[in-house]
Amino acid sequence: MIGNTPKPEHGRERRKRATRRALRAATLELGLERGLPEVSVEEIAAAAGVSTRTFFNYFASKEDAALLEMLAVPAADLAAFAAGGTGRNAWADLTRLFAEDMDRIGQDGPDLPRYMALHERHPELQWRQLARFARFEAEVASAIAARLGDDPVGQVRADVMAGSCITAVRVGLRHWGLTGWEGPARAHVEAAFAMLAPAFRERA
């Protein structure tokens, strides 16, 4: 069911999360200091206190480690949404899914503007990020289409709703930045989703 209380993390999951964050933090620091092309995976792993092999257990490349970890709704949650979710209307369930995703990006806290600065210095990171977003938008559209029904009207609506989700996230994050990144990102994104809700409220 969408929106269930998260299960408590066990020690192994906490350690994995900590390692992932350490690798991303090292990538960010070294990338800003010297430029990402000049930094090796070996240096990133050493700065994070792990082996190069461990780095590749988490990321395919140093560029992947530098991407924003957002628009990353778990596949299981998308599958639950496609199957009908919690019984509320589709847009309400999408709002919940994306709000929970913002909780994840909020963990980067003060580092988020620094990640964005790194992306501005290296356009290839921006293209990678956009490509990831495009793939995710297609996954969301597919899940919405499955929930609304397999017909031409449902597919068009699904594409519009998926694109609207991405727009709501983008606008919400922009306004979060205008506040100086204060408070939770989730609140700003939920507000953007709420403004679009009347357009999609009539379909369950």
Side-chain angles (χ1 to χ4, degrees), residues 25-117:
T27 303
L28 175 64
E29 294 298 334
L30 292 172
L32 287 174
E33 178 183 333
R34 292 165 44 199
L36 195 59
E38 305 304 317
V39 178
S40 69
V41 168
E42 290 77 12
E43 290 175 301
I44 293 170
V50 301
S51 67
T52 301
R53 181 177 180 179
T54 296
F55 176 95
F56 286 112
N57 287 336
Y58 289 85
F59 300 103
S61 68
K62 62 185 177 182
E63 289 80 12
D64 285 342
L67 296 182
L68 296 174
E69 296 200 311
M70 58 181 288
L71 299 185
V73 174
D77 288 352
L78 277 181
F81 167 84
T86 63
R88 297 173 303 181
N89 69 53
W91 191 252
D93 282 342
L94 287 168
T95 300
R96 175 68 64 86
L97 286 177
F98 280 86
E100 290 174 351
D101 185 51
M102 289 303 102
D103 289 340
R104 286 185 284 274
I105 192 174
Q107 293 172 3
D108 282 330
D111 281 338
L112 181 59
R114 302 177 73 228
Y115 278 108
M116 292 181 170

Side-chain angles (χ1 to χ4, degrees), residues 120-200:
E120 289 178 1
R121 296 184 189 182
H122 302 292
E124 69 275 13
L125 291 179
Q126 297 181 37
W127 287 111
R128 280 176 177 258
Q129 192 80 63
L130 289 173
R132 178 179 286 187
F133 290 170
R135 289 193 297 270
F136 178 68
E137 182 177 342
E139 293 171 3
V140 172
S142 179
I144 297 171
R147 175 158 169 166
L148 297 183
D150 188 15
D151 62 75
V153 173
Q155 184 61 63
V156 171
R157 187 178 181 85
D159 289 343
V160 171
M161 291 178 75
S164 297
C165 288
I166 305 304
T167 297
V169 170
R170 178 177 57 79
V171 171
L173 289 178
R174 176 174 175 272
H175 283 272
W176 186 37
L178 291 174
T179 68
W181 315 102
E182 294 183 359
R186 178 179 185 140
H188 295 276
V189 170
E190 284 179 324
F193 269 80
M195 295 188 72
L196 291 166
F200 303 118

